[in-house]
Amino acid sequence: FVLLESIVFPVTHLNISKDLALQRLLVEWDVGKSAYDTELAMSFEIQVSRTDQTTTVWTGFYNVTLDKSGKPLQWIWDSDLPLECMSHSVRIRSKAEASKIWSEWSLWETVLGLDTSNNSRPQIFPNEKIVEEGSDVTFCCIGRKGQIIKEFFLDPAVHVLNHTNSQVGVLTVKNVAHQEVPHITVYCQESCNEEQCYDHTVFFVGKPPDTPNNFSCQTQDLRIVTCTWNQGGDTYLYGRYSPKYTLSEEFSQKTVPCTVSCSQQCSCSWDIGQQRLCNITVTVENPLGKKTATDIFDITHRVYPTAPFQMWEECTDTEITLYWKHRNKGIEFFCQTEVLQPDGKVELHNRSDTHLHYASITLGGLQPYTEYTARVRCGAAQHFWRWSEWSEARIIRTKEGTPSGKLDIWREITPVLGGRNVTLFWKEAPSFRANGRSISYEVTWEKIEDGSKSESISFPSDCNSTRISIDNHTYRISVMAKNNVNYSLPSVLIISRATGTEEELSGAELKEEQVNGTDDGIFISWEPRWIYDGYIIDWCNFPMLQPCDLQWKRFGPNTSSALINSDAFVPGVRYKFHIYGSVANRASLLEKKTGYLRELPPLLDPIVEKVELTFNAVTLSWESYPTNESQSGFIRGYHVYVSPIQEDCSLKGSKKHVLPDDSVLCKYTIENPEEKRYTVKHLLSNTKYQLVVKAYTGGGETPIVNFIYIDTPFNSNMMYLLVLLVLIPSLVAAICHWKIKWVKECCCPVIPSPNKSEVLSFKEFKLGSEKVLKVSDCIPDILAVDNKAEAQKL
């Protein structure tokens, strides 16, 4: 029994070699363990030094279990500094894991660097290195013996130069990044200036290739296989360092004989022969790495057909039969036809066809004389993989057919001597289709009551109205559209018998009701009547023109309002609307409406035609001012403005109105548009005033610019009052002055002075400046005593 704690196993036969391409040291050694045959867990401490064993750059531990084979141990160390730059030395010591005692260090084993050689010029290592983006890279420049490295730098990046000694320079770039230039240049120069004192090299910054993305293989004819994939991001490495692709097939253990082509997508094609099961691997490799992708497939499950070709068609007015051919023989296809409708909608029709020579599909339910765009694609019916490319699109027009639907017709009736003129209008209803190349219109009218022969007239396609003259009987008018195939169904109007007054035609007894416009149109509402099967509203887009471009719109029996809009509607124009009820093709006028899309201020101000003045009032008249459809809004009333004497507008019935320039006017409002006379009262006589009359609509009024200037006359009654107030007091004063003595005696008698009275002829006694009468100097006639006590005191 042996205690392992006391056993030492020294390292023997230490050998070191280097791999310059990988900047790697390979270390191999033996352990003096020949006396022990059992397995043993060992620990090794390893040190690496540079430059004559003076600088230890790495220390680490290596644990291993020794077996009975006695094979030498191996260890690998990767250097961050190129091994050419300096000499590297390695030493090792060991111990059993259970032991606490290390063996002695082995002797240093050294591999020499080029710093010990005689170079003819400076040398930079590594040379033309490929560096992965984001990693660290270290360069060294080895100078000649006796020379000092003066400059060692990168272009375009500049880094700090670190010296290990005067002969070897070391430059480290952390987290190296790709630059816009193709490569980065490293420069090194000694302290001299000759050509042999200088060296440079380049290195490339790139990335390892991405794994080929979306790698898949397919065939069009079960013989030629094409594999495609996305090549991934840019590696920034080009030329001989760019990614290289190779394909191999595992089942046959062969390299795929194809040439890879990459543009937007990489692809490679080759003849697979009779093989059906494949295991294809694509490998992409550059100096920084290697990636692979694999696709395992049965070739019969990867059929990607060629696009159908040689298409042709046969047509009727409502059907198209489309034919095409395939290049892939012996494969059953499932095909899809895309049909683009005239309204832009797309319909897809599927069809399975095994015909050997051609395939076809019939598309029904189409509109006559209409263009459709069709194209076809196909996929394998069994083991569907993907659709082929679309065939060339074909534009196909169906044949002509009978016009469908009816025309929308309307009329305008004007009474004339002995009858009526009927202006007839027609347009295509939403449900109407011409279904033909050329179209014309036929108008027919006949008197219903006596069964007389009908009359008719035809019009070309660019006509949409006509005028016919009829008498006062009931007439039936119809309009039909015609193409090269047939007529459409007739659209019918019944013109009722006219009465003597024609009130049912003109609607003279109906009052026009004002309606309001909105941002989207003019809102019309009416009272529905159960007897009618529909309603019609007509109006003129351009009321001032003759003819006025009559428009109309139809509504169902359950509708009682509508928003009428038109691109021709503009603010400030009054539009008139007539609402008709229709039953059995007869129309009756029910209501009249009038309104604006948006009211604007009046175009013209009222012209004051008459001004009547008194000393405290003025009466203004503007009788000829129009309030009809010539105005740009409904005249709601008038404002009369008067310049005030005081800015608080104390005139009775007025309100203060401040103009934009901060001047003040007194404002009177007249809310009746038919009232065209107004009297401003409570004015001052003999005073200047400014006045103006403005009409206002729902859109407001125009700015105040021009005034009427007036002067109120002098008030004569005030003159009379002033005369009375001055003359009468003057007359009284004159009379008083003439009889002054008499007046004084009557009105102001002389008051005797107390100082002249005999009463005061007593012995004078003064208190201050006043005379005082002593009681003892006064002899009373009677003495009255109030009580005995007072009398006793006296």
Side-chain angles (χ1 to χ4, degrees):
F1 180 74
V2 179
L3 292 176
L4 292 178
E5 293 183 2
S6 61
I7 299 176
V8 175
F9 301 94
V11 174
T12 61
H13 303 99
L14 175 61
N15 294 312
I16 181 172
S17 60
K18 60 183 178 181
D19 185 341
L20 295 178
L22 299 177
Q23 295 185 9
R24 176 175 293 174
L25 290 178
L26 305 172
V27 182
E28 187 175 282
W29 70 95
D30 289 332
V31 179
K33 178 186 168 291
S34 58
Y36 304 98
D37 295 329
T38 59
E39 291 186 352
L40 181 63
M42 295 287 293
S43 293
F44 298 90
E45 184 178 4
I46 306 170
Q47 287 186 342
V48 180
S49 67
R50 290 175 181 151
T51 315
D52 300 328
Q53 298 90 41
T54 59
T55 305
T56 300
V57 295
W58 189 87
T59 298
F61 295 91
Y62 175 61
N63 297 322
V64 66
T65 300
L66 301 181
D67 56 19
K68 299 177 183 180
S69 64
K71 290 182 180 180
L73 299 176
Q74 289 183 342
W75 175 76
I76 296 174
W77 180 73
D78 293 320
S79 175
D80 59 340
L81 182 70
L83 298 177
E84 297 94 338
C85 299
M86 299 179 186
S87 299
H88 287 73
S89 300
V90 178
R91 68 177 182 176
I92 302 176
R93 66 177 181 174
S94 64
K95 73 177 184 69
E97 280 191 4
S99 175
K100 296 181 180 179
I101 302 174
W102 287 95
S103 70
E104 294 294 329
W105 285 103
S106 67
L107 296 177
W108 288 101
E109 184 70 23
T110 302
V111 290
L112 298 177
L114 295 181
D115 57 335
T116 61
S117 61
N118 293 321
N119 303 322
S120 62
R121 63 187 306 151
Q123 289 183 291
I124 301 173
F125 296 98
N127 185 22
E128 290 198 8
K129 184 174 178 63
I130 312 299
V131 181
E132 184 173 354
E133 186 177 39
S135 62
D136 301 338
V137 60
T138 299
F139 294 89
C140 73
C141 179
I142 305 171
R144 294 172 295 171
K145 288 185 178 181
Q147 295 291 335
I148 297 175
I149 303 300
K150 179 182 179 182
E151 287 187 304
F152 188 24
F153 62 93
L154 304 179
D155 183 28
V158 178
H159 294 269
V160 177
L161 177 65
N162 296 318
H163 286 282
T164 57
N165 56 49
S166 61
Q167 186 185 355
V168 179
V170 178
L171 185 63
T172 300
V173 183
K174 296 288 188 181
N175 192 23
V176 64
H178 169 71
Q179 304 289 335
E180 294 298 328
V181 295
H183 56 261
I184 299 175
T185 305
V186 186
Y187 294 94
C188 179
Q189 185 172 0
E190 296 172 340
S191 56
C192 52
N193 293 323
E194 289 79 9
E195 183 179 351
Q196 63 269 22
C197 301
Y198 164 84
D199 191 23
H200 76 281
T201 187
V202 297
F203 72 95
F204 303 88
V205 180
K207 297 192 297 185
D210 293 334
T211 301
N213 190 25
N214 295 330
F215 177 61
S216 67
C217 303
Q218 58 194 12
T219 182
Q220 290 187 326
D221 56 6
L222 300 179
R223 187 174 61 85
I224 302 298
V225 172
T226 301
C227 294
T228 59
W229 63 93
N230 297 329
Q231 56 184 335
D234 193 352
T235 62
Y236 310 128
L237 300 176
Y238 311 104
R240 68 179 186 272
Y241 300 129
S242 61
K244 302 296 188 295
Y245 294 96
T246 57
L247 276 75
S248 60
E249 205 287 310
E250 183 178 345
F251 295 152
S252 63
Q253 295 293 313
K254 293 180 181 179
T255 299
V256 173
C258 70
T259 301
V260 176
S261 172
C262 289
S263 53
Q264 294 181 348
Q265 192 180 47
C266 295
S267 66
C268 195
S269 300
W270 74 99
D271 190 338
I272 199 173
Q274 301 300 317
Q275 187 175 350
R276 289 295 175 260
L277 293 177
C278 298
N279 184 349
I280 308 295
T281 297
V282 59
T283 301
V284 57
E285 184 177 8
N286 72 0
L288 296 176
K290 178 194 296 186
K291 299 289 176 60
T292 62
T294 300
D295 188 18
I296 303 174
F297 59 92
D298 182 335
I299 193 172
T300 60
H301 296 188
R302 295 292 182 88
V303 176
Y304 171 57
T306 56
F309 72 109
Q310 288 188 3
M311 298 179 64
W312 72 98
E313 73 280 340
E314 295 176 355
C315 297
T316 67
D317 59 341
T318 59
E319 286 186 349
I320 295 174
T321 301
L322 191 64
Y323 300 90
W324 63 90
K325 289 185 177 181
H326 298 292
R327 286 189 174 90
N328 310 103
K329 305 299 183 181
I331 301 175
E332 182 181 351
F333 289 109
F334 177 77
C335 297
Q336 189 175 71
T337 304
E338 179 190 78
V339 180
L340 178 63
Q341 303 284 339
D343 58 3
K345 294 182 179 178
V346 174
E347 291 184 357
L348 295 175
H349 303 267
N350 295 330
R351 167 81 181 212
S352 180
D353 202 327
T354 58
H355 201 286
L356 293 179
H357 301 292
Y358 62 85
S360 66
I361 187 171
T362 299
L363 309 173
L366 306 179
Q367 296 290 343
Y369 201 68
T370 302
E371 279 191 354
Y372 295 89
T373 302
R375 59 181 185 171
V376 182
R377 64 181 179 180
C378 298
Q382 295 181 355
H383 311 299
F384 179 86
W385 166 242
R386 62 177 55 172
W387 292 110
S388 70
E389 296 296 325
W390 286 105
S391 68
E392 180 183 353
R394 287 189 66 83
I395 299 175
I396 307 167
R397 183 185 290 275
T398 52
K399 292 185 177 181
E400 293 185 79
T402 300
S404 57
K406 297 181 180 181
L407 296 171
D408 186 1
I409 65 173
W410 189 234
R411 83 294 183 277
E412 188 177 40
I413 303 174
T414 305
V416 295
L417 183 63
R420 293 160 291 178
N421 285 337
V422 178
T423 303
L424 194 66
F425 303 88
W426 59 86
K427 61 184 178 181
E428 294 183 358
S431 60
F432 176 82
R433 290 185 56 84
N435 293 339
R437 180 182 299 105
S438 62
I439 194 168
S440 60
Y441 304 101
E442 184 169 298
V443 178
T444 303
W445 66 98
E446 59 181 339
K447 190 186 299 184
I448 294 178
E449 291 150 344
D450 60 1
S452 59
K453 185 178 179 181
S454 63
E455 300 179 68
S456 64
I457 187 171
S458 294
F459 298 93
S461 59
D462 57 347
C463 291
N464 62 357
S465 65
T466 187
R467 189 174 71 177
I468 61 175
S469 297
I470 61 174
D471 57 27
N472 290 327
H473 291 85
T474 302
Y475 274 79
R476 180 182 184 272
I477 302 177
S478 66
V479 182
M480 293 183 294
K482 181 181 181 298
N483 62 15
N484 293 329
V485 177
N486 207 341
Y487 288 93
S488 70
L489 294 174
S491 299
V492 178
L493 279 177
I494 303 297
I495 308 299
S496 300
R497 170 187 287 272
T499 63
T501 62
E502 295 290 341
E503 287 183 351
E504 78 281 8
L505 302 177
S506 64
E509 77 284 0
L510 296 176
K511 183 179 179 181
E512 284 186 342
E513 180 185 349
Q514 294 182 4
V515 292
N516 298 320
T518 68
D519 293 338
D520 300 321
I522 299 175
F523 184 75
I524 307 293
S525 64
W526 61 90
E527 181 182 350
R529 283 84 162 175
W530 65 269
I531 62 172
Y532 296 111
D533 55 23
Y535 300 93
I536 303 102
I537 299 178
D538 70 10
W539 70 93
C540 289
N541 271 345
F542 306 98
M544 300 303 176
L545 299 181
Q546 291 298 327
C548 72
D549 184 30
L550 185 70
Q551 304 292 316
W552 71 97
K553 197 170 183 179
R554 295 181 179 272
F555 302 92
N558 298 322
T559 306
S560 60
S561 64
L563 185 67
I564 305 298
N565 50 31
S566 170
D567 293 338
F569 286 172
V570 293
V573 175
R574 187 181 298 187
Y575 299 96
K576 295 186 177 182
F577 302 88
H578 299 104
I579 303 169
Y580 295 84
S582 175
V583 58
N585 298 323
R586 297 174 186 262
S588 301
L589 181 61
L590 304 179
E591 297 180 28
K592 291 181 178 181
K593 310 284 183 179
T594 183
Y596 295 83
L597 182 67
R598 186 176 77 250
E599 293 186 59
L600 299 178
L603 298 175
L604 299 172
D605 290 337
I607 298 176
V608 177
E609 300 159 345
K610 188 175 181 182
V611 179
E612 301 175 11
L613 286 172
T614 65
F615 66 87
N616 67 344
V618 60
T619 300
L620 307 173
S621 299
W622 55 94
E623 299 293 340
S624 63
Y625 187 70
T627 60
N628 56 18
E629 60 271 9
S630 65
Q631 292 288 358
S632 55
F634 294 116
I635 302 298
R636 314 283 179 168
Y638 307 93
H639 290 140
V640 179
Y641 296 93
V642 181
S643 60
I645 300 300
Q646 297 177 340
E647 288 196 354
D648 59 358
C649 278
S650 58
L651 292 175
K652 186 178 180 180
S654 70
K655 293 183 179 180
K656 183 177 179 181
H657 180 77
V658 181
L659 296 177
D661 61 357
D662 294 331
S663 58
V664 177
L665 296 177
C666 297
K667 176 181 176 181
Y668 300 87
T669 300
I670 305 169
E671 295 183 349
N672 180 8
E674 301 304 323
E675 183 65 41
K676 300 179 181 179
R677 180 182 176 90
Y678 190 75
T679 300
V680 181
K681 301 178 180 179
H682 309 295
L683 302 179
L684 297 178
S685 63
N686 196 27
T687 304
K688 292 182 180 294
Y689 288 95
Q690 299 178 89
L691 300 95
V692 66
V693 180
K694 307 289 290 185
Y696 66 90
T697 67
E701 64 184 26
T702 56
I704 298 173
V705 178
N706 299 319
F707 287 91
I708 300 172
Y709 299 90
I710 64 166
D711 292 316
T712 54
F714 188 77
N715 190 348
S716 58
N717 292 334
M718 291 295 294
M719 188 65 179
Y720 299 145
L721 179 60
L722 183 61
V723 168
L724 291 176
L725 290 176
V726 174
L727 184 59
I728 292 177
S730 299
L731 183 60
V732 171
I735 294 173
C736 290
H737 182 72
W738 180 43
K739 295 291 186 176
I740 183 71
K741 188 174 182 181
W742 177 79
V743 171
K744 285 180 68 177
E745 290 179 355
C746 291
C747 299
C748 302
V750 177
I751 300 173
S753 174
N755 293 327
K756 296 179 179 181
S757 174
E758 295 181 357
V759 175
L760 297 178
S761 61
F762 49 81
K763 185 178 181 179
E764 292 185 356
F765 173 74
K766 288 187 176 182
L767 286 176
S769 62
E770 299 294 334
K771 291 181 179 182
V772 179
L773 179 63
K774 294 181 180 180
V775 177
S776 60
D777 293 337
C778 181
I779 302 173
D781 294 331
I782 299 172
L783 182 63
V785 180
D786 287 341
N787 53 56
K788 291 181 177 182
E790 188 66 24
Q792 197 67 31
K793 182 179 179 182
L794 293 172

